[in-house]
Amino acid sequence: MTSTFPTISISTERLVLRPLDEDDVPALAEMMNDEQIGAWTGVPQPYSQQAAHRWITEDAPDERTAGRGLAFAVTEFLTQRLVGVIQLARTDWHVRSTELSYIVASWARGEGYASEAALATAQWLFTDQKFERIELRTAADNTASQQVAQKIGCISEGVLRGACIARARAEDDTWTEVRTDYIVWSLLPEDLEGAGDQFAEGGGFTSYTDWN
């Protein structure tokens, strides 16, 4: 029997992580068309509202139902504005392991939102879902993503040589693919000792019953 993630909302001091819904389509499409996201992810460029709608209403729910992953909309607590996305993928329920990635809108960078959201997700996975390992992969030149991994306590385990396809703008303004390395990071429950106090002050987990 395939395990699946529950429908859940996670609160921190400044953020609410909740299921994506159709109202997020315009903000998600705008966020995904950012130059940095185009460079470091496999997101199609340009990214249309139709693509955003399909991911929110079909692809993400299918991943959750199949037990492979989960996607959170990361929103500001005060404004409810979409600041990013946390995604879990390649989940192994026997090993209790999953891969975590994060995307932050260009206007919201530099505020620590990625590390706050990633830490809250890790706390939930370890305490509520009894996971034993979280893995992150960052492109070798994506220093901002690496800083997030370090900030939440991840340990660098090594390099997957030539395993990442990044993208760069060509002179004619089209995207060209560039092969680079992946840095592999891991986070285990014991790596978060002392980091939970910050999360506990935020509010914790609440169920979310109406999610596709």
Side-chain angles (χ1 to χ4, degrees):
M1 183 176 180
T2 301
S3 298
T4 61
F5 290 107
T7 55
I8 198 78
S9 176
I10 302 173
S11 300
T12 71
E13 182 178 357
R14 301 182 298 168
L15 303 172
V16 176
L17 283 65
R18 58 161 176 79
L20 288 151
D21 61 44
E22 292 187 53
D23 290 340
D24 296 316
V25 165
L28 180 66
E30 179 181 358
M31 179 173 64
M32 292 298 193
N33 279 302
D34 174 68
E35 188 87 5
Q36 291 299 311
I37 293 174
W40 299 118
T41 74
V43 172
Q45 296 293 318
Y47 191 83
S48 66
Q49 290 200 17
Q50 289 80 4
H53 185 271
R54 183 173 60 251
W55 188 61
I56 289 173
T57 61
E58 299 178 23
D59 299 341
D62 287 349
E63 286 291 292
R64 189 185 75 86
T65 300
R68 293 188 295 265
L70 184 66
F72 283 116
V74 181
T75 62
E76 286 183 322
F77 178 77
L78 293 179
T79 67
Q80 300 184 25
R81 189 176 182 184
L82 183 70
V83 302
V85 172
I86 291 282
Q87 187 172 9
L88 306 177
R90 301 180 181 86
T91 303
D92 187 323
W93 290 94
H94 178 66
V95 179
R96 309 301 290 187
S97 173
T98 192
E99 183 177 324
L100 184 149
S101 60
Y102 33 80
I103 292 174
V104 176
S106 58
W107 63 267
R109 291 177 191 146
E111 300 294 331
Y113 286 151
S115 55
E116 186 172 331
L119 177 61
T121 304
Q123 289 280 358
W124 171 68
L125 285 168
F126 290 148
T127 60
D128 188 81
Q129 296 295 292
K130 309 304 180 186
F131 270 58
E132 295 294 335
R133 174 182 169 87
I134 298 171
E135 185 172 304
L136 289 79
R137 297 185 180 192
T138 63
D141 295 326
N142 190 351
T143 55
S145 186
Q146 293 164 29
Q147 289 170 356
V148 172
Q150 293 171 330
K151 189 172 181 180
I152 67 174
C154 291
I155 303 300
S156 176
E157 293 186 330
V159 176
L160 297 178
R161 297 183 299 165
C164 176
I165 300 295
R167 290 180 290 192
R169 286 282 193 184
E171 292 182 0
D172 61 359
D173 206 37
T174 60
W175 290 98
T176 61
E177 293 186 344
V178 180
R179 184 173 294 275
T180 185
D181 300 336
Y182 265 135
I183 299 176
V184 179
W185 308 78
S186 67
L187 191 67
L188 305 183
E190 55 265 33
D191 297 328
L192 287 186
E193 291 181 3
D197 295 341
Q198 172 186 340
F199 173 73
E201 295 171 357
F205 323 128
T206 57
S207 62
Y208 197 102
T209 57
D210 183 18
W211 188 7
N212 296 309

